[in-house]
Amino acid sequence: MLLLGLKSRCRLKVLDVTGLQGDDTDRGPEWMSLWSCTVALAKACVEVSKHHHECLKRDSKRHKGPSGASVVAPQPLGVEVRADLFVNSTSFNILRDALQTTGPLRLKCRDFHAEELPVASIVGLLELLEPTGVRRVDLRFNNLGLTGLCAVLPHLARFTGLLSLKLPYSNVNVRRVATEAGLRCLATQLGRLLCLKELNLGSSRLSGKLRQLLG
């Protein structure tokens, strides 16, 4: 049970579960995929938060001060749950709820993976992530195109420790459609990722424009 943050005697501050998930099919059935682990953590955060707030309400009704006002004992600091997160359309809602919720468990992302999500959903989740600690962002099969990338990349600049950005299958084809303004925007936003060490634009067709984008 991830209810450690509810007990005042608990001293746990950080629970690090990064690196415990994987999609290796050779592993046994007890091995959780990154997607299923993300869902389990998100559900735990939401459920613990609900239970926490219900307890606070009950306590406020039971304990009254001299003036009749409710007196609630100070609550312990929550537990920071560090995790790698994987989200797609089926898990978007629960992860969004978990990142928005306030309670004893607080999700903090290290590596963020998103597949087959619209631009607005990707941006919404990126804005909910705490900026410190994010080191990798992997956005694949999202069909962003040049316009979508220009909409998403400004929201990555807040991750000052971002080391790796993977954008495979983003459907960027400068031979088919491209504007100089769009390419300049993309180059400018990439240039703001000052700690970036790895960039993956696999399956994009950028022939003749790499110098402009990476210069």
Side-chain angles (χ1 to χ4, degrees):
M1 293 292 291
L2 293 175
L3 299 177
L4 298 173
L6 295 178
K7 297 184 179 298
S8 60
R9 64 177 179 273
C10 177
R11 294 295 181 266
L12 184 65
K13 303 298 182 185
V14 176
L15 176 62
D16 192 333
V17 294
T18 55
L20 297 181
Q21 318 92 341
D23 294 309
D24 190 342
T25 55
D26 293 331
R27 296 186 182 273
E30 75 282 355
W31 184 264
M32 295 184 73
S33 70
L34 183 56
W35 181 89
S36 60
C37 189
T38 298
V39 171
L41 286 173
K43 287 182 177 179
C45 289
V46 172
E47 291 171 3
V48 169
S49 177
K50 289 180 180 178
H51 179 72
H52 176 64
H53 289 295
E54 289 172 359
C55 289
L56 289 180
K57 288 181 181 179
R58 288 197 297 267
D59 289 344
S60 66
K61 292 179 180 179
R62 284 200 300 264
H63 303 289
K64 299 290 184 178
S67 62
S70 298
V71 177
V72 180
Q75 297 300 311
L77 295 176
V79 177
E80 179 182 289
V81 182
R82 297 176 183 174
D84 300 328
L85 303 177
F86 179 97
V87 60
N88 56 19
S89 58
T90 60
S91 57
F92 170 78
N93 288 332
I94 186 62
L95 180 59
R96 179 196 57 193
D97 292 346
L99 292 172
Q100 288 178 326
T101 194
T102 57
L105 302 180
R106 187 177 77 254
L107 272 181
K108 187 169 183 178
C109 180
R110 183 186 67 169
D111 297 352
F112 178 77
H113 308 256
E115 284 189 4
E116 298 180 319
L117 288 180
V119 171
S121 297
I122 294 172
V123 169
L125 292 178
L126 290 175
E127 285 296 296
L128 291 173
L129 298 179
E130 291 190 25
T132 58
V134 177
R135 67 175 193 178
R136 292 192 179 98
V137 171
D138 186 346
L139 309 176
R140 59 180 62 210
F141 303 110
N142 293 294
N143 197 30
L144 296 172
L146 183 59
T147 301
L149 286 180
C150 288
V152 169
L153 287 178
H155 301 275
L156 298 177
R158 56 196 290 267
F159 304 134
T160 55
L162 186 65
L163 299 175
S164 173
L165 175 60
K166 296 182 180 181
L167 303 166
Y169 306 103
S170 292
N171 196 25
V172 177
N173 186 351
V174 297
R175 293 187 226 169
R176 185 176 60 198
V177 55
T179 65
E180 288 302 311
L183 290 172
R184 285 197 301 271
C185 172
L186 184 57
T188 298
Q189 297 303 330
L190 288 174
R192 291 175 178 169
L193 306 178
L194 301 181
C195 292
L196 199 65
K197 302 297 182 183
E198 178 185 22
L199 176 64
N200 184 334
L201 287 165
S203 298
S204 291
R205 298 181 179 181
L206 303 171
S207 298
K209 300 298 182 180
L210 284 177
R211 182 181 296 274
Q212 181 179 353
L213 289 176
L214 304 178

